[in-house]
Amino acid sequence: MHKVLTIGEVLVEIVAATTGDGFQDAQPLVGPFPSGAPAIFIDQLGKLGTPAAIVSRVGDDDFGRLNIDRLSADGVDVSGIEIAPGESTGSAFVRYRDDGSRSFVYNIRNSACGNLRPTAASEALIDGCDHLHVMGTALSAPGLGQMVMQAARRIKAQGGTISFDPNLRPEILDAPGLREALEDMLEMTDLFMPSGDELFLFDKTRDEAAAVAALLARGIRTVVLKRGADGASLFEAAGRVDAAPLRVHEVDPTGAGDSFGGAFLSFWLADAAPEQALRYANAAGARAVTRLGPMEGTSTRAELDAMLAGQAGDATNANSLKDIAAWRDRPGPSGIPSICTAHPLAIEAAMRATLPTPLPLLIEATCNQVNQEGGYTGMTPADFRRFVEDIADRVGFPTERLILGGDHLGPNPWKDLPADQAMDKAEVMIRAYAAAGFTKLHLDCSMGAAGEPVALDDAETARRAARLAQAAEEARPETGIPPVYIIGTEVPIPGGAMEEIEGLELTAPDAARTTVAVHKDAFAARGLEDAFDRVIGLVVQPGVEFGNHNVVGYDPVAATGLSAALSDMPGLVYEAHSTDYQTREALTALVNDGFSILKVGPGLTFVLREALYGLDDIAEELFPGQRDHTLRATMEQVMLANPRNWDRYYHGSDAERALQRHFSYSDRIRYYWPDPQAAQAVAELFDLLGERDLPETLIGQYLGGLYPDVRAGRLAPRANALALAAVQRLTQDYVSACGGA
């Protein structure tokens, strides 16, 4: 088997978690990630089992060890990496601009790698390898370029082969002697892999066919043109092969071309058919962009096989949640938070928290919030979709990474009606959700209607759920993404328990198995086998809940049997409702135990209300008497004027009920934020505080949890930033628990 060598930079990459034009303002950063184009390329080869080695130089520091450990773990021979005491490993700080382009701050030329020179170890590697991969950037540094050229001549003289990826940043094209070095390298090249306009580096015609013909005439065996999101093309004397792109949620494109190149070379050296080599290279490049960090997206053969299998047919029709049960067996996220809210600030904060991660963002509307009659938000499903997408446009969150879900879709909003009328309305509702393109639908028919038991038996619950699934299948767009479904017969009520909770009875493992069996039969009775194949999970009670005054935390030991039952239900996960107020450790344990979908709703608006009330107090300190009413006083008026959403849930004396209206875990105040009077009060608060920097001392007094980040310069001391940060901090607990950060 061939052994591949590359020579060049090894560095770390640190990524800004915000978008913008540069690094002149303090901002949160993510990383360090192992990086360097040659390192990413060779790591991809190592993961595919191709013997591979790299010659480079790092400092005797954590950044150097991070890279060496990663490369070694992925099968790369690192004996040619020199560790330089007293020097620093190279680095690159990256920030994405709003248009998707990038700003870089490099420390490479003055790093350990900038002083790369031949060593006994590197000389031995050159003699032991029969293929050299060259990055154009390596030719731009005089000492490194000379070393690469000498290695290329030696390997060619030994009967070996050369692959060449120009990989040229525009700012280095005019480096002295670079074009001459590029010409010399091209004369030795067997496999040339340019990206886009790099095809024309050596041809002035700007005609693709003419440029390719000229390259092949030089004696190059294979030209592979990387077209990014448009796929790739291969050109040889025998003809041309094109490969269509794979459709994925892009998180970070850095390193995608290097992963593509490493995968292609692995198959090319093994004399694979051009079609196969391109197909796997495309998959490697596509998978790379779904991971944050340039080397995080390199892939094994099994991972590429799984990706290609998942994209069989029309890639644009793949539901990204369809294989969530397999996420635990792969690198990257192993679960996903379900953000159940219609509050615009909470949604924006969740987008900002998710944007730097590999996760798509799942936002769900409940049957009470959003339905054909408007719900308590006044929005239909189509309205809610536009509402969320407008926020995404403002934030810069890619809409292709959004998943919209419908939660508790069933007769619950109309449970005071007879069952036939309630189900008719539920059917109209789910048709509206499906027609609006919601692709994750929770079927909840477990609660009885007027004259029925509070909880229905399993068989009747399943029959009603199958009826709603049939309505959704009939209403979904023909060319849209097929929805996935969540089922359940023991479903906690929407919004948390109504009373203080002393204990919970977990769903029995046999009950979970029965839930799946009865739904499978009910779907089959309606000819919905294909729809049942898209059932990805079931709602169970894992022993987590919150009431007005207390929270029941997750106990992994108590849930052992329920978790183990998933082994009898292949392809399924559990959806955990009422995970609000769980600790990050408890959330992580839930995901590890198979509760892969974590619902959070009132918890989001609870921390947002905390922030708004803190800002309300700050406004009174800074501008006493400038408003007719404080925000808290306004919310009290609004809730007293319309008690239907809290009156029957809160008990005790008048003082106790007043406290619960504002501060209960069930957060029933969330129903009132869309009220025009409440919305106006929030707008007045933000107008009053404006964009001014708020005193740190007042932030410490009234928003103490955010004070450390403000004091450290990580968070702007401004009203809107503080409100968003409160929800972001909570969302990050869920993202972290799901393996997204």
Side-chain angles (χ1 to χ4, degrees):
M1 186 180 289
H2 298 278
K3 185 169 184 177
V4 179
L5 176 68
T6 193
I7 304 172
E9 70 270 18
V10 168
L11 58 128
V12 293
E13 185 168 299
I14 298 167
V15 184
T18 61
T19 58
D21 293 331
F23 289 93
Q24 296 186 19
D25 297 314
Q27 59 203 277
L29 303 171
V30 183
F33 297 110
S35 188
I40 300 164
F41 176 92
I42 211 69
D43 190 77
Q44 178 59 77
L45 279 160
K47 274 196 168 180
L48 288 175
T50 299
I54 185 170
V55 170
S56 191
R57 196 165 187 264
V58 298
D60 187 11
D61 53 30
D62 287 348
F63 290 170
R65 284 184 283 276
L66 173 70
N67 274 283
I68 290 173
D69 290 348
R70 171 64 64 82
L71 291 165
S72 180
D74 290 344
V76 177
D77 181 344
V78 295
S79 62
I81 300 180
E82 180 185 2
I83 300 174
E87 298 185 39
S88 299
T89 302
S91 61
F93 289 79
V94 185
R95 191 179 190 196
Y96 285 85
R97 302 186 182 98
D98 291 336
D99 63 0
S101 61
R102 291 166 287 177
S103 297
F104 290 91
V105 176
Y106 288 104
N107 171 31
I108 298 176
R109 192 173 297 277
N110 296 319
S111 69
C113 187
N115 297 318
L116 184 60
R117 56 182 180 255
T119 64
S122 67
E123 292 295 297
L125 275 179
I126 293 171
D127 289 337
C129 294
D130 59 3
H131 184 93
L132 178 70
H133 180 72
V134 178
M135 296 287 187
T137 50
L139 301 178
S140 64
L144 176 58
Q146 183 178 11
M147 186 176 175
V148 170
M149 292 297 294
Q150 290 174 351
R153 294 188 181 103
R154 284 171 58 183
I155 286 177
K156 286 292 283 189
Q158 294 164 190
T161 50
I162 305 291
S163 54
F164 180 26
D165 182 343
N167 192 33
L168 292 168
R169 301 188 302 274
E171 62 267 27
I172 67 173
L173 279 174
D174 295 326
L178 177 58
R179 288 194 176 272
E180 292 80 3
L182 294 172
E183 287 281 359
D184 290 344
M185 183 56 65
L186 200 65
E187 293 301 319
M188 293 185 280
T189 295
D190 300 280
L191 168 61
F192 184 50
M193 294 190 285
S195 296
D197 286 349
E198 289 176 347
L199 180 69
F200 306 111
L201 283 173
F202 310 99
D203 187 280
K204 304 299 183 184
T205 66
R206 308 294 295 180
D207 177 86
E208 182 177 290
V212 169
L215 290 166
L216 295 177
R218 288 177 178 244
I220 294 173
R221 172 181 155 189
T222 305
V223 175
V224 174
L225 179 59
K226 293 176 283 184
R227 303 183 187 273
D230 294 323
S233 299
L234 176 146
F235 305 90
E236 292 180 335
R240 168 177 176 163
V241 175
D242 293 306
L246 280 69
R247 302 298 182 189
V248 293
H249 294 298
E250 181 176 297
V251 174
D252 183 359
T254 304
D258 304 317
S259 295
F260 175 102
F264 183 85
L265 180 62
S266 178
F267 284 87
W268 187 81
L269 288 173
D271 293 324
E275 293 83 359
Q276 182 188 34
L278 274 186
R279 186 168 68 255
Y280 276 94
N282 260 353
R287 187 173 182 276
V289 306
T290 67
R291 303 294 193 273
L292 181 66
M295 202 183 289
E296 306 309 299
T298 55
S299 306
T300 64
R301 174 67 181 267
E303 288 164 348
L304 295 182
D305 284 337
M307 183 163 193
L308 289 167
Q311 296 252 348
D314 183 357
T316 62
N317 264 355
N319 191 310
S320 56
L321 291 179
K322 176 66 170 64
D323 65 342
I324 189 171
W327 290 10
R328 285 193 292 167
D329 300 323
R330 304 177 188 171
S334 51
I336 191 168
S338 168
I339 307 301
C340 302
T341 183
H343 198 293
L345 280 175
I347 290 174
E348 178 178 346
M351 288 179 178
R352 294 186 183 279
T354 308
L355 189 59
T357 78
L359 282 169
L361 179 58
L362 172 56
I363 298 177
E364 301 209 47
T366 68
C367 57
N368 293 310
Q369 283 176 330
V370 173
N371 56 49
Q372 70 272 27
E373 297 170 1
Y376 71 79
T377 64
M379 286 188 281
T380 66
D383 294 333
F384 185 78
R385 182 182 194 91
R386 288 189 291 269
F387 167 72
V388 171
E389 290 179 345
D390 285 346
I391 298 172
D393 288 343
R394 186 173 73 251
V395 173
F397 192 93
T399 53
E400 63 269 19
R401 287 181 60 193
L402 284 175
I403 302 172
L404 293 181
D407 197 28
H408 293 285
L409 299 185
N412 184 61
W414 306 282
K415 60 180 179 290
D416 294 334
L417 298 175
D420 57 345
Q421 296 179 36
M423 282 299 296
D424 286 346
K425 285 182 174 289
E427 186 173 321
V428 173
M429 176 175 63
I430 201 167
R431 285 181 180 275
Y433 271 89
F438 285 63
T439 56
K440 191 243 178 208
L441 305 176
H442 169 213
L443 307 171
D444 182 9
C445 298
S446 59
M447 298 174 69
E452 295 185 318
V454 174
L456 300 178
D457 65 68
D458 290 356
E460 182 59 28
T461 298
R463 281 192 291 271
R464 294 183 184 185
R467 172 184 170 182
L468 296 186
Q470 183 170 17
E473 291 292 299
E474 292 170 353
R476 68 180 177 90
E478 289 185 10
T479 59
I481 296 172
V484 295
Y485 295 99
I486 302 293
I487 58 175
T489 56
E490 298 186 14
V491 184
I493 64 171
M498 299 184 187
E499 306 286 350
E500 185 165 354
I501 312 160
E502 295 182 0
L504 286 174
E505 184 176 347
L506 279 67
T507 299
D510 283 344
R513 298 183 187 98
T514 298
T515 294
V516 176
V518 297
H519 278 81
K520 184 176 182 179
D521 290 344
F523 274 57
R526 288 181 174 266
L528 296 173
E529 289 85 356
D530 178 67
F532 189 81
D533 185 56
R534 284 181 270 114
V535 171
I536 62 167
L538 62 153
V539 178
V540 293
Q541 176 51 267
V544 299
E545 187 57 277
F546 60 91
N548 292 333
H549 306 291
N550 70 323
V551 177
V552 178
Y554 179 59
D555 180 357
V557 175
T560 299
L562 184 56
S563 177
L566 280 173
S567 62
D568 300 326
M569 298 177 282
L572 297 181
V573 300
Y574 292 134
E575 179 166 284
H577 285 227
S578 304
T579 68
D580 309 70
Y581 313 110
Q582 297 291 316
T583 65
R584 181 179 290 199
E585 293 73 20
L587 294 170
T588 302
L590 279 162
V591 174
N592 290 341
D593 290 345
F595 302 92
S596 302
I597 304 172
L598 302 178
K599 294 276 187 179
V600 56
L604 296 169
T605 44
F606 184 92
V607 296
L608 178 61
R609 192 268 315 147
E610 283 184 325
L612 292 175
Y613 276 15
L615 293 170
D616 193 35
D617 288 332
I618 290 172
E620 280 303 286
E621 296 284 358
L622 296 176
F623 309 105
Q626 291 197 22
R627 294 172 292 170
D628 292 337
H629 300 284
T630 64
L631 175 61
R632 180 173 175 181
T634 299
M635 297 309 296
E636 178 74 350
Q637 291 176 5
V638 170
M639 286 187 285
L640 288 175
N642 179 16
R644 66 185 300 268
N645 288 310
W646 63 266
D647 187 45
R648 63 192 175 102
Y649 302 95
Y650 295 152
H651 309 289
S653 67
D654 288 346
E656 289 170 334
R657 278 156 53 92
L659 198 65
Q660 292 174 68
R661 279 196 293 273
H662 296 274
F663 302 110
S664 76
Y665 280 127
S666 57
D667 193 56
R668 303 199 70 82
I669 195 174
R670 72 186 185 276
Y671 293 98
Y672 296 90
W673 294 116
D675 181 275
Q677 188 178 349
Q680 179 61 31
V682 173
E684 288 178 359
L685 174 63
F686 281 112
D687 287 344
L688 185 62
L689 296 177
E691 288 298 311
R692 61 176 47 84
D693 286 353
L694 304 178
E696 287 183 4
T697 52
L698 291 182
I699 294 171
Q701 177 67 33
Y702 295 111
L703 295 169
L706 301 176
Y707 172 78
D709 284 342
V710 171
R711 180 70 185 276
R714 294 186 294 266
L715 175 59
R718 300 182 188 121
N720 193 66
L722 292 164
L724 290 171
V727 185
Q728 281 182 252
R729 289 175 70 216
L730 177 63
T731 308
Q732 284 162 353
D733 284 346
Y734 286 82
V735 169
S736 174
C738 290

